[in-house]
Amino acid sequence: MTTIKSPQTLGETLRAARKGLGLTQPKLALAAGVGVRFIVDLEAGKPTVRLDAVMRVIEALGGVIRIEGLPSSGNEVST
């Protein structure tokens, strides 16, 4: 598990995952349904990327987002 505290860390983490899976930026973009420019910006740590598209990229890489340390209502949300 990686702790993400900045857009740069998120980009570096996703780039490492993509390379670890042997994917090119164009192949990841196709799998996630986003443009190659989006992948380039995301991996560069651009802070203004769209959250829905980021989540599709993470899913295409086989990852999930988990949030820890926030108050909980007691309801577990799972997809």
Side-chain angles (χ1 to χ4, degrees):
M1 184 183 321
T2 302
T3 300
I4 305 295
K5 292 189 175 184
S6 72
Q8 291 77 21
T9 304
L10 177 61
E12 291 165 2
T13 300
L14 296 178
R15 180 184 307 113
R18 173 182 60 77
K19 288 184 174 186
L21 291 170
L23 293 173
T24 62
Q25 289 177 329
K27 286 183 180 179
L28 176 56
L30 182 63
V34 299
V36 175
R37 180 83 241 168
F38 180 85
I39 299 296
V40 170
D41 289 346
L42 178 60
E43 290 184 355
K46 184 176 179 182
T48 58
V49 294
R50 292 183 25 216
L51 181 58
D52 63 325
V54 171
M55 293 177 73
R56 287 197 312 267
V57 170
I58 291 169
E59 182 179 347
L61 290 168
V64 296
I65 296 175
R66 295 178 200 262
I67 298 180
E68 297 179 358
L70 298 180
S72 174
S73 65
N75 297 327
E76 293 294 320
V77 178
S78 178
T79 58

